[in-house]
Amino acid sequence: MDFLVFPDHPVADRLAACLPRTPATHTVTHLSGRPWIVGHWRREEAVTARVGPRCAVLLGTTSATPDTLARLLRRLRGLDDLGGRTGLRHELPGSFFLLACMGAEVRAQGSLSAVRQLHRTDLAGLTVLGSRPQDLAALADAAAAAGLPGAPRTGTVDEEALATRLLAPGAPLPLALRTPWHAVHAVPPGHCATHDPAGRYREDRWWHPPEPDLPLPDAAEAVREALSAAVHARTHRATLSADLSGGLDSTSLCFLAARDGTELITTAWEGRDPADDGPLWSAHSAYRLSQVRHGGRHLPLPYTDAPTWYTPPAQPAHTDAAGPLVAVREAARLVHQARLVAKFGSRMHLAGVGGDELFTLRPVALNSLARGDLREAVRLARRARRLASWTLPATVRTLLGGRCYPRWLAAGADRIAPDARRRPGGADWEEFPAMPPWAHPDAVATVRRLLHVAAAAAPEPFDPLRAQHELAAAAVRAGERVRGVDALTSAHGVAYEAPFLDDAVIEAALAVRLADRVPGGGGKPVLVAAMRGTVPGPVLGRGGRRAHSAELHAGLRRNRRALAALCADSRLAALGLIRPEALRPILTSLQPDTAALRPLDPTLAAEFWLRARPTPPACDTVPAPAARMPAPTGEGG
């Protein structure tokens, strides 16, 4: 699915005329007859309704029907009714782009995670929206060829943005929203894009996290309802496939899907580590599932039949044209899985991505709880300290530490160097990243400068409470992973979906009382309570996590020569972003500590993305060294 959105303006005709047209191209027009939405989507990916001068289009996955949408349109007093805490979008389950117009006024929004994310660029005096940044970049090229003006270098590779993509585990907001294309910008999650009748563009924030005040029983009920509706929005297909790893997240989705009577194909990777009990739990869940589902089968995926981790892309289609692929290490395996389930009739695959991000207990909840109930926060911190062996200074810092978001962002600029002294971040807004040891000093200086510039703009966090912001930011990062994987698997006819990242599920997780999110007995107590009676009891009580170090080392051993060869003609090195001589030893030597390999994925993702470009980017703009800027002083945390 891909599309562009144009305002109701005469210039839109000239811009839309620059687009290549095929029999598969769909166009939804304004009342004036001018193009509004132009793109490609399958029939089941679009729901459209018109009521007089009002029109709404859902593009994505939903159980809503045209009649449902029409009823909502009749209740619409203005386009602002679509957002907010009680907006009409709450009555539309699923994951989709929501595009609406009233006359010549237009509103467009994506999902709270980055699964459905809008982008924009300015061409010929208009702001054009798109679901994929590469489509806006291509339109900019075509418009320039047609003599329509745009910002200089629009749609070319942004080397400074690529420098931020080297950060591991990932850039903090707002740098995480920067696309690798010049003058192509992401619309921030929780914001809508609007065009007024004159074609003027504006972005407005319509969403704020709910208050975290639901006690565990009520929160579990809300999560159960939201997750059930999210899965139900996908089970109207005749055949569906899903991960069944044996963990709580994927198992919950499978048992919810089985209740709807769809033919369900489950898959499970068989790991190399003989101590890994994941396959046993997966087989147990598959057996229990066979007693309640209608048809379907379970497909174990032996590692001997699949590509290893870190298998280089065989062709550009095995990368994501939108930007560096977050799931780079598993890309070849995910394509292998998609091809396999497609042979059994699946056109959509469900994954448990988002379950960890939404329901794992986190220390930052103590910091937020202390803002309103210090006595309760101290009591829970004592319990957490006994269970997790926290030091006293780390515990105090978790409870009381912290700066405002812009100051935290600026202070972190000096911590991105690989050799910077780091400390536990229980009070951090997000996990602060670092540049890899092989990053060029100029790239480190560039990222440091960009962090200071971003902080100087005083960006707002998702919420004043760190626990709320951190959870929402984690959902955005997970959504970016899902969106990238979907770009891979959809090329093979299988959409990749994560029901945990639907808006309603995210909001239900954010509403959980802070005291119920503090590390205590381990596990995911809210999700366990929500799935009690749906998922078999033994799975609900399963502890521990699946280890992947064997897969990691096997993949690097198998692909060592191909990966090391990247250093000989690295595109990143040509742009002055990395030092190949520092990267090569990591790729060619044994690394007993997997932490040394943590920064590898973002670098490989950026390198593969550059190599998949039709023509190598010009190397005439190299990130310039940035003067070191002092971080604001303030309290630690």
Side-chain angles (χ1 to χ4, degrees), residues 222-538:
V223 168
R224 178 166 49 249
E225 291 179 0
L227 191 58
S228 297
V231 173
H232 182 68
R234 295 158 170 89
T235 54
H236 57 275
R237 290 158 179 79
T239 304
L240 194 69
S241 59
D243 289 336
L244 184 59
S245 67
L248 179 57
D249 304 334
S250 64
T251 305
S252 297
L253 300 182
C254 290
F255 277 86
L256 288 172
R259 297 193 311 184
D260 287 346
T262 188
E263 181 180 358
L264 185 63
I265 301 166
T266 55
T267 65
W269 293 102
E270 295 184 351
R272 298 169 184 268
D273 188 347
D276 179 14
D277 63 352
L280 295 177
W281 284 99
S282 177
H284 171 79
S285 296
Y287 170 73
R288 297 291 296 269
L289 196 61
S290 68
Q291 299 175 319
V292 298
R293 68 180 168 186
H294 304 273
R297 65 178 69 207
H298 181 62
L299 300 176
L301 304 176
Y303 66 84
T304 53
D305 298 341
T308 59
W309 282 12
Y310 292 115
T311 296
Q315 52 182 309
H318 288 184
T319 59
D320 177 13
L325 184 68
V326 176
V328 61
R329 69 170 69 169
E330 300 172 80
R333 284 163 63 99
L334 291 165
V335 169
H336 168 80
Q337 181 188 48
R339 287 171 170 167
L340 181 63
V341 297
K343 291 179 181 178
F344 289 93
S346 174
R347 294 296 175 263
M348 178 178 287
H349 187 82
L350 304 187
V353 181
D356 284 344
E357 289 77 5
L358 298 184
F359 298 108
T360 297
L361 302 174
R362 288 184 170 87
V364 72
L366 281 170
N367 183 274
S368 297
L369 180 61
R371 298 298 189 265
D373 190 345
L374 180 58
R375 179 174 297 181
E376 177 68 0
V378 170
R379 184 185 71 81
L380 293 174
R382 286 173 176 164
R383 183 187 65 178
R385 186 185 175 202
R386 289 195 302 270
L387 293 171
S389 300
W390 294 354
T391 65
L392 181 58
T395 305
V396 173
R397 190 161 53 244
T398 294
L399 280 170
L400 305 177
R403 299 174 170 95
C404 68
Y405 189 72
R407 291 174 64 192
W408 171 83
L409 198 63
D414 294 325
R415 289 195 283 144
I416 65 168
D419 56 351
R421 181 174 175 270
R422 312 188 72 77
R423 64 186 184 187
D428 281 351
W429 290 89
E430 303 170 38
E431 180 181 2
F432 212 90
M435 292 290 275
W438 48 84
H440 194 283
D442 288 352
V444 176
T446 294
V447 175
R448 186 172 288 143
R449 171 175 55 81
L450 293 175
L451 285 167
H452 281 296
V453 170
E460 285 188 357
F462 283 114
D463 191 88
L465 287 177
R466 288 152 202 266
Q468 299 295 79
H469 171 87
E470 196 272 344
L471 190 151
V476 170
R477 289 193 296 270
E480 174 65 15
R481 173 187 175 86
V482 170
R483 188 206 53 73
V485 174
D486 179 62
L488 297 183
T489 62
S490 290
H492 301 278
V494 180
Y496 189 84
E497 298 263 337
F500 279 106
L501 295 177
D502 283 10
D503 289 2
V505 184
I506 293 173
E507 291 192 315
L510 284 163
V512 177
R513 187 174 57 181
L514 293 172
D516 292 321
R517 300 196 217 167
V518 175
K524 301 171 182 175
V526 176
L527 187 57
V528 167
M531 291 295 102
R532 188 165 286 118
T534 300
V535 172

Side-chain angles (χ1 to χ4, degrees), residues 40-247:
H40 307 86
W41 53 81
R42 297 191 302 271
R43 180 179 57 84
E44 63 271 19
E45 290 180 313
V47 180
T48 304
R50 285 189 184 270
V51 176
R54 307 171 181 182
C55 182
V57 179
L58 306 181
L59 290 173
T61 300
T62 180
S63 55
T65 65
D67 288 343
T68 303
L69 202 53
R71 285 195 297 271
L72 295 181
L73 279 177
R74 293 188 183 96
R75 292 162 47 193
L76 213 61
R77 297 167 299 176
L79 293 182
D80 287 344
D81 287 351
L82 294 172
R85 295 293 311 135
T86 59
L88 300 184
R89 65 153 196 113
H90 284 278
E91 302 179 41
L92 301 169
S95 174
F96 46 80
F97 294 97
L98 171 55
L99 314 171
C101 66
M102 293 184 70
E105 186 181 1
V106 174
R107 174 182 171 123
Q109 64 191 56
S111 59
L112 298 180
S113 70
V115 175
R116 315 287 184 192
Q117 187 167 45
L118 286 169
H119 301 80
R120 61 174 172 85
T121 195
D122 294 331
L123 297 170
L126 295 182
T127 299
V128 182
L129 298 167
S131 59
R132 308 191 308 184
Q134 67 266 36
D135 296 335
L136 292 170
L139 177 62
D141 286 344
L148 296 173
R153 300 191 68 194
T154 297
T156 61
V157 173
D158 185 343
E159 296 89 348
E160 289 192 347
L162 275 182
T164 68
R165 294 298 183 105
L166 300 181
L167 287 165
L173 295 172
L175 292 188
L177 301 178
R178 185 165 175 170
T179 79
W181 309 87
H182 275 294
V184 178
H185 310 281
V187 177
H191 289 66
C192 65
T194 63
H195 286 106
D196 68 12
R200 291 184 292 264
Y201 179 78
R202 190 177 76 249
E203 284 178 11
D204 295 310
R205 182 171 181 177
W206 62 267
W207 178 80
H208 294 268
E211 289 297 319
D213 54 10
L214 276 185
L216 184 58
D218 296 335
E221 179 63 26
V223 168
R224 178 166 49 249
E225 291 179 0
L227 191 58
S228 297
V231 173
H232 182 68
R234 295 158 170 89
T235 54
H236 57 275
R237 290 158 179 79
T239 304
L240 194 69
S241 59
D243 289 336
L244 184 59
S245 67

